[in-house]
Amino acid sequence: MKNFESQQETNRKYYDRVEFYERMFKKSEDGAKFKRLMDRIKHPDNIMLAYRSIKSNSGANTASVDKMTMRDIKKLSTNEVIREVHRRLEWYEPDITRRVFIPKANGDLRPLGIPSIWDRLIQQAILQVLEPICEAKFNPHSYGFRPHRSAEHAIADVAFKINIQHYHYVIDVDIKSFFDEIDHDILLRLMWNMGIQDKKLLSIVKKMLEGVVEQPDGTRVKATKGSPQGGVLSPLLANIYLNALDWWISDQWETFKTRNNYTRIRANNTVDQSGKYRALRTSSNLKELMIVRYADDFKIFTNSKASADKILIAVSKWLHERLKLNVSPLKSGVTCLRKQSTEFLGFTLKLMRKGRMRTGMQRYVMASDVCPKALSRIQQNLSAQVKSIQRASSSKRGIDEVLKYNSMVVGIHNYYGIATNVNDSFQRISLGLLRKMYNRFNRNNQNDNFSRSGRYEGKDVRITKYMSSKSMRYYMGYPVIPLSYIQHKSPMMLKKDYRQTDSIDDAHVRTELVKLRSNAHYNNRRSIEYMDNRIAKYLVQKGKCAVTGVLLFADEVTCHHIESYAATQDDSYKNLVIIQELIHRLIHATQTSTIKRYLSALKLSKSELTHVNKYRTVLGHDIL
């Protein structure tokens, strides 16, 4: 996997929080105690970043008990939002959380808690301050809900433990209702031990955990344990809770402290601990074990059946005594990967024979496949989307539904492409999908037929790599990506230098953005949506006027509504553009004398005038 910049990191640049994140990470790494975190949480830039981070989330417009959504907050000014967050944090009492149930892959129902939109905003503000502190303390073999980490990294780590370290026995430990069983007192103690020692912040977290939940039948209960899934802060709190397990397992073997220092540094600056492990094998009775965890789903690896049986008992007992978590005996057990397969993160993992090692012993390598449950879910979801395309018929919505289908296929390929047998898995279900498309789409008008030929203008880069496939089909002349056209890619381990350490490159933009943000906090005439998108546009346009390309200073920035704000009340990102003030006046000018004066002062080129006329046309003004 390539090193990429996450959306959260991009958002940090808008409010100059990259350096803050790195500074907090380094302090936590050095063992600092954090006792004044509330001031950082209440900082205007942190609140604005929290707003930006959650405003586009899929659940931002899902209402809780109070019926409010992000649409209501977008209408408020920046100062109104900041003041309301400050007011709520002063004597914090969480709003009532709405409980809903969504179906799981196995047919059961998963309970979700939907906090109010204000509580989600506050939780995000807290998350942004706590995350760098916790990241410095988290175990490197934990991958779920962490920046720059993904299921691909977890599978790559599993492959390393199986192929290179030869751990062929896996211990499956299934925790019963993990999120519902988190003990609040233990969690707060673990946070304190991590260095989060701001008592007011801890009391706020405790109140969030103990908030009132409204059940689907209307009854209201106060939570005594658990962390509701659906809350912004819940994944981080879950990682804090299980981080203790990660390090306990690590200290049994990987990070076990020895009297002598066997560690040596290789030529490429990597750490070699093979000497330590050889010494432990010959002079101790320690069991070899390694963990790979993704949220509450984890695998423990070892090298013998006897060790695996003892580890399962020890881990189950430790979870019960230390974290008050119970293990499901029916779903937990030991698997020898040479004889059986195991499932992890939607993949089926097993060992296959492949030649012999130098010693003459049989060599085994890990083979992975898309697990049957995931294949069934993929087939159901894509079949449902085929029906949606058919229902849309020949309308423009039909193309939108095709685009959605393509996005689903690309997402499936990106996730499951690391399975070694992914091509065979998808071949098994793609024929049925293709037949379904022929049967459903060809019943429409002749111009909308599902065919082997159609138009493609090369604008969607996701589709380009599929154009050579003989399985490519077209609906209404638009390409439909084939599920079967996929090639396996090896899962990549997490890079050591994965954190984003640089801020905005352009010195001028960085300097003026600070001024632009400071102005934003004191403008009560504009909505927070407008002020946030104004900053985003300035950064994306690299501080330049969209018409003339002139570099603008903060006090020269004017934000133009492409479609009239008076008519649309639309402060969205797509409706805004950064231009210089005289250009803005020219776009809105209607009097001939005023237009001549501005044209004389600006001396626009032909292409610049074309840009101006484009904006004037949208507003219904005459072309210049």
Side-chain angles (χ1 to χ4, degrees), residues 101-125:
F101 292 90
I102 62 171
K104 295 169 67 174
N106 60 6
D108 295 337
L109 295 176
R110 173 181 284 114
L112 288 184
I114 303 177
S116 73
I117 194 64
W118 284 110
D119 282 339
R120 275 176 267 176
L121 187 63
I122 289 170
Q123 286 187 30
Q124 180 64 34

Short mmCIF file of all heavy atoms in Angstrom, two decimals, residues 101-125:
data_model
loop_
_atom_site.label_atom_id
_atom_site.label_comp_id
_atom_site.label_asym_id
_atom_site.label_seq_id
_atom_site.Cartn_x
_atom_site.Cartn_y
_atom_site.Cartn_z
N PHE A 101 -30.88 -0.61 15.94
CA PHE A 101 -30.27 -1.91 15.68
C PHE A 101 -30.12 -2.11 14.18
O PHE A 101 -31.07 -1.87 13.42
CB PHE A 101 -31.14 -3.02 16.28
CG PHE A 101 -31.16 -3.03 17.78
CD1 PHE A 101 -32.12 -2.30 18.47
CD2 PHE A 101 -30.23 -3.74 18.50
CE1 PHE A 101 -32.15 -2.29 19.85
CE2 PHE A 101 -30.24 -3.74 19.88
CZ PHE A 101 -31.21 -3.01 20.57
N ILE A 102 -28.93 -2.52 13.77
CA ILE A 102 -28.69 -2.79 12.35
C ILE A 102 -28.29 -4.25 12.20
O ILE A 102 -27.69 -4.85 13.11
CB ILE A 102 -27.58 -1.87 11.78
CG1 ILE A 102 -26.24 -2.11 12.50
CG2 ILE A 102 -27.99 -0.41 11.87
CD1 ILE A 102 -25.07 -1.41 11.86
N PRO A 103 -28.63 -4.88 11.06
CA PRO A 103 -28.32 -6.31 10.88
C PRO A 103 -26.83 -6.56 10.70
O PRO A 103 -26.14 -5.78 10.03
CB PRO A 103 -29.11 -6.69 9.62
CG PRO A 103 -29.31 -5.39 8.89
CD PRO A 103 -29.40 -4.33 9.93
N LYS A 104 -26.34 -7.65 11.28
CA LYS A 104 -24.96 -8.08 11.10
C LYS A 104 -24.91 -9.13 10.00
O LYS A 104 -25.94 -9.64 9.55
CB LYS A 104 -24.42 -8.67 12.41
CG LYS A 104 -24.32 -7.66 13.54
CD LYS A 104 -24.05 -8.32 14.87
CE LYS A 104 -22.70 -8.97 14.95
NZ LYS A 104 -22.42 -9.50 16.32
N ALA A 105 -23.70 -9.45 9.56
CA ALA A 105 -23.53 -10.41 8.47
C ALA A 105 -24.07 -11.79 8.84
O ALA A 105 -24.54 -12.53 7.98
CB ALA A 105 -22.05 -10.51 8.09
N ASN A 106 -24.02 -12.15 10.14
CA ASN A 106 -24.48 -13.48 10.57
C ASN A 106 -25.98 -13.52 10.87
O ASN A 106 -26.49 -14.52 11.36
CB ASN A 106 -23.69 -13.94 11.80
CG ASN A 106 -23.85 -12.99 12.98
OD1 ASN A 106 -24.63 -12.02 12.94
ND2 ASN A 106 -23.10 -13.25 14.04
N GLY A 107 -26.68 -12.42 10.61
CA GLY A 107 -28.12 -12.39 10.83
C GLY A 107 -28.53 -11.77 12.15
O GLY A 107 -29.72 -11.45 12.35
N ASP A 108 -27.58 -11.62 13.09
CA ASP A 108 -27.89 -10.98 14.36
C ASP A 108 -28.03 -9.47 14.18
O ASP A 108 -27.77 -8.93 13.10
CB ASP A 108 -26.80 -11.28 15.40
CG ASP A 108 -26.73 -12.76 15.74
OD1 ASP A 108 -27.76 -13.45 15.56
OD2 ASP A 108 -25.66 -13.23 16.18
N LEU A 109 -28.41 -8.81 15.26
CA LEU A 109 -28.55 -7.35 15.22
C LEU A 109 -27.46 -6.70 16.05
O LEU A 109 -27.15 -7.17 17.16
CB LEU A 109 -29.93 -6.93 15.75
CG LEU A 109 -31.14 -7.37 14.91
CD1 LEU A 109 -32.43 -6.97 15.60
CD2 LEU A 109 -31.08 -6.75 13.52
N ARG A 110 -26.86 -5.65 15.51
CA ARG A 110 -25.82 -4.91 16.22
C ARG A 110 -26.43 -3.60 16.76
O ARG A 110 -26.99 -2.82 16.00
CB ARG A 110 -24.65 -4.58 15.31
CG ARG A 110 -23.62 -3.66 15.96
CD ARG A 110 -22.46 -3.32 15.05
NE ARG A 110 -21.52 -4.43 14.94
CZ ARG A 110 -21.29 -5.11 13.84
NH1 ARG A 110 -21.96 -4.80 12.74
NH2 ARG A 110 -20.43 -6.10 13.81
N PRO A 111 -26.32 -3.37 18.08
CA PRO A 111 -26.87 -2.13 18.64
C PRO A 111 -25.95 -0.94 18.36
O PRO A 111 -24.73 -1.02 18.54
CB PRO A 111 -26.94 -2.42 20.14
CG PRO A 111 -25.86 -3.43 20.37
CD PRO A 111 -25.77 -4.26 19.12
N LEU A 112 -26.51 0.15 17.88
CA LEU A 112 -25.77 1.38 17.64
C LEU A 112 -26.37 2.49 18.48
O LEU A 112 -27.59 2.59 18.62
CB LEU A 112 -25.80 1.78 16.17
CG LEU A 112 -24.99 0.97 15.17
CD1 LEU A 112 -25.09 1.62 13.79
CD2 LEU A 112 -23.53 0.88 15.58
N GLY A 113 -25.52 3.33 19.03
CA GLY A 113 -25.98 4.51 19.76
C GLY A 113 -25.74 5.75 18.92
O GLY A 113 -24.62 5.97 18.44
N ILE A 114 -26.77 6.54 18.70
CA ILE A 114 -26.64 7.76 17.90
C ILE A 114 -26.70 8.96 18.83
O ILE A 114 -27.78 9.35 19.28
CB ILE A 114 -27.75 7.85 16.83
CG1 ILE A 114 -27.71 6.61 15.94
CG2 ILE A 114 -27.60 9.12 16.00
CD1 ILE A 114 -28.79 6.57 14.90
N PRO A 115 -25.56 9.56 19.17
CA PRO A 115 -25.57 10.75 20.04
C PRO A 115 -26.14 11.95 19.29
O PRO A 115 -26.27 11.94 18.06
CB PRO A 115 -24.08 10.97 20.37
CG PRO A 115 -23.36 9.76 19.85
CD PRO A 115 -24.20 9.19 18.76
N SER A 116 -26.46 13.00 20.04
CA SER A 116 -26.91 14.23 19.40
C SER A 116 -25.77 14.82 18.58
O SER A 116 -24.59 14.51 18.81
CB SER A 116 -27.38 15.24 20.45
OG SER A 116 -26.26 15.77 21.15
N ILE A 117 -26.09 15.69 17.64
CA ILE A 117 -25.06 16.25 16.76
C ILE A 117 -24.08 17.10 17.56
O ILE A 117 -22.88 17.16 17.24
CB ILE A 117 -25.70 17.06 15.61
CG1 ILE A 117 -24.68 17.35 14.51
CG2 ILE A 117 -26.37 18.32 16.12
CD1 ILE A 117 -24.13 16.15 13.82
N TRP A 118 -24.55 17.76 18.63
CA TRP A 118 -23.64 18.55 19.48
C TRP A 118 -22.68 17.64 20.24
O TRP A 118 -21.49 17.95 20.37
CB TRP A 118 -24.43 19.42 20.45
CG TRP A 118 -25.03 20.63 19.82
CD1 TRP A 118 -26.36 20.88 19.60
CD2 TRP A 118 -24.34 21.78 19.31
NE1 TRP A 118 -26.54 22.09 18.98
CE2 TRP A 118 -25.31 22.67 18.79
CE3 TRP A 118 -23.00 22.14 19.23
CZ2 TRP A 118 -24.98 23.89 18.21
CZ3 TRP A 118 -22.67 23.35 18.66
CH2 TRP A 118 -23.64 24.22 18.15
N ASP A 119 -23.19 16.50 20.71
CA ASP A 119 -22.30 15.56 21.40
C ASP A 119 -21.28 14.96 20.45
O ASP A 119 -20.13 14.71 20.82
CB ASP A 119 -23.13 14.44 22.06
CG ASP A 119 -23.78 14.89 23.35
OD1 ASP A 119 -23.30 15.87 23.93
OD2 ASP A 119 -24.77 14.27 23.77
N ARG A 120 -21.69 14.73 19.19
CA ARG A 120 -20.74 14.22 18.20
C ARG A 120 -19.64 15.24 17.92
O ARG A 120 -18.48 14.88 17.77
CB ARG A 120 -21.47 13.86 16.90
CG ARG A 120 -22.07 12.47 16.89
CD ARG A 120 -22.87 12.20 15.63
NE ARG A 120 -24.27 12.53 15.83
CZ ARG A 120 -25.20 12.47 14.88
NH1 ARG A 120 -24.85 12.13 13.66
NH2 ARG A 120 -26.45 12.78 15.14
N LEU A 121 -20.02 16.50 17.86
CA LEU A 121 -19.03 17.56 17.63
C LEU A 121 -18.05 17.64 18.80
O LEU A 121 -16.83 17.76 18.61
CB LEU A 121 -19.75 18.90 17.46
CG LEU A 121 -18.91 20.11 17.06
CD1 LEU A 121 -18.26 19.90 15.69
CD2 LEU A 121 -19.75 21.37 17.04
N ILE A 122 -18.57 17.54 20.02
CA ILE A 122 -17.71 17.59 21.21
C ILE A 122 -16.81 16.36 21.27
O ILE A 122 -15.61 16.46 21.59
CB ILE A 122 -18.57 17.72 22.48
CG1 ILE A 122 -19.21 19.12 22.55
CG2 ILE A 122 -17.77 17.44 23.74
CD1 ILE A 122 -20.25 19.29 23.62
N GLN A 123 -17.36 15.19 20.96
CA GLN A 123 -16.55 13.97 20.96
C GLN A 123 -15.42 14.05 19.94
O GLN A 123 -14.30 13.61 20.21
CB GLN A 123 -17.43 12.75 20.66
CG GLN A 123 -18.33 12.34 21.81
CD GLN A 123 -19.07 11.05 21.53
OE1 GLN A 123 -18.58 10.18 20.82
NE2 GLN A 123 -20.26 10.91 22.09
N GLN A 124 -15.70 14.63 18.77
CA GLN A 124 -14.66 14.78 17.76
C GLN A 124 -13.56 15.73 18.24
O GLN A 124 -12.38 15.50 18.01
CB GLN A 124 -15.27 15.29 16.45
CG GLN A 124 -14.27 15.48 15.32
CD GLN A 124 -13.63 14.21 14.85
OE1 GLN A 124 -14.27 13.15 14.86
NE2 GLN A 124 -12.37 14.26 14.44
N ALA A 125 -13.96 16.82 18.91
CA ALA A 125 -12.98 17.78 19.45
C ALA A 125 -12.08 17.10 20.49
O ALA A 125 -10.87 17.35 20.55
CB ALA A 125 -13.70 18.98 20.06
#
